[in-house]
Amino acid sequence: ENVLTQSPGTLSLSPGERASLSCRASQSVSSTYLAWYQQKPGQAPRLLIYGASNRATGIPDRFSGSGSGTDFTLTVSRLEPEDFAFYYCQQYGSAPLTFGGGTKVEI
Amino acid sequence: EVQLEESGGGLIQPGGSLRLSCTASGFTFSSFAMSWVRQAPGKGLEWVSSIGYGVGSTYYADSVKGRFTISRDNPKNTLYLQMNSLRAEDTALYFCAQTIATGAWYFASWGQGAQVTVSS
C-alpha cells in the first residue's frame, strides 16, 4: 500500500498569504496519478487538482499543483476567506487507492 | 450539473446489514465508473470500493472485502453498497463519487453522504 503523509497537519495563515501543502508518498506515484481535494466542515470533498498539476473544472487559478515521484505540493497563491478548509491528497497509481491524512488550513 | 444523492444510512447493530443507494443525475451514468468513499467521525477519507462503468469490474479495500458488495443499475442511474457483518469501525459518513477511470481512478464529483452508525 502506498502511504501518503501530508504536512503540516495544520497551517495557520492569514487571507492574502501563500499556502504550501506537502504530500509525500512511501512509493513513487506512477504517471503523476495524484489528486488534491478540498473539504469544508459539513460538506463533501471537492476535486481541485488531478494528474498532479491539472486544475479541475471551475477551480480558480490561485490553486496549483506540482511534483512527481514521491513529493507533491499544493500551492494556494493568495488565500481567500473561502479557502480555509481541509485538504487531502490521493494517489491512484496503484491499488489500493489511498488518501493522505489531511492538512487543515486555518486562519 | 452532476448530482449524487445517497440514501439508506442509519443506526444498525454490530453484525447487521444495510444497503446504501446513490441516485445520479446530470451525466450519463452508464459511461462512468463509480465509487464509495467513507469518513469516520473526525477522521480523514478512506476509499471503500469502486465499480467500472459497464458490466462492472469491482474493487474493494481490504477492510471491507468479503463483507461489502458494490453494484449498479444503469437503467435506474443508481449505485449500491450492500454492507454485511457490520462492525463498529464501519461507522462513518459514506460518500458516493463519480469516478474518472483513465488508467487509474480519481473522484470528480461527490454526493453529500449517508451516515452509517454501527452500535448496540
Side-chain angles (χ1 to χ4, degrees):
Chain A
E1 172 173 322
N2 199 343
V3 177
L4 302 182
T5 301
Q6 291 187 242
S7 61
T10 302
L11 198 52
S12 298
L13 294 169
S14 299
E17 289 192 298
R18 180 186 185 90
S20 290
L21 287 64
S22 172
C23 176
R24 181 161 292 176
S26 62
Q27 306 165 33
S28 182
V29 178
S30 61
S31 304
T32 62
Y33 286 154
L34 193 288
W36 289 93
Y37 302 86
Q38 178 193 67
Q39 186 180 32
K40 298 177 183 179
Q43 295 186 18
R46 177 175 70 146
L47 177 67
L48 297 176
I49 301 285
Y50 63 94
S53 60
N54 302 290
R55 273 188 301 276
T57 303
I59 301 304
D61 61 7
R62 64 180 182 272
F63 290 93
S64 63
S66 63
S68 63
T70 60
D71 289 301
F72 298 87
T73 301
L74 175 70
T75 301
V76 187
S77 59
R78 294 173 312 279
L79 284 165
E80 297 287 342
E82 62 267 28
D83 299 335
F84 291 90
F86 286 89
Y87 292 84
Y88 296 94
C89 58
Q90 177 234 331
Q91 69 82 26
Y92 51 99
S94 61
L97 309 180
T98 50
F99 288 91
T103 290
K104 180 182 181 181
V105 178
E106 66 175 20
I107 297 177
Chain B
E1 180 192 2
V2 173
Q3 292 196 332
L4 300 167
E5 185 172 356
E6 300 92 342
S7 60
L11 174 64
I12 188 76
Q13 291 189 338
S17 297
L18 209 56
R19 188 177 81 158
L20 301 182
S21 300
C22 171
T23 302
S25 61
F27 65 103
T28 305
F29 181 74
S30 59
S31 296
F32 284 85
M34 296 293 295
S35 301
W36 291 96
V37 177
R38 68 185 180 185
Q39 186 169 37
K43 302 297 184 182
L45 301 170
E46 180 189 14
W47 170 73
V48 173
S49 181
S50 297
I51 186 168
Y53 63 87
V55 174
S57 300
T58 57
Y59 310 87
Y60 299 93
D62 285 346
S63 58
V64 306
K65 198 174 295 182
R67 300 188 298 123
F68 290 11
T69 303
I70 191 172
S71 62
R72 62 190 301 160
D73 186 333
N74 285 340
K76 292 185 177 179
N77 288 349
T78 303
L79 175 73
Y80 301 101
L81 185 68
Q82 177 67 43
M83 303 183 293
N84 298 332
S85 302
L86 282 161
R87 307 166 179 168
E89 55 265 36
D90 296 318
T91 293
L93 187 62
Y94 284 73
F95 297 101
C96 78
Q98 180 196 45
T99 304
I100 304 301
T102 52
W105 307 69
Y106 63 93
F107 312 113
S109 295
W110 301 61
Q112 289 302 305
Q115 180 65 45
V116 173
T117 302
V118 184
S119 175
S120 55

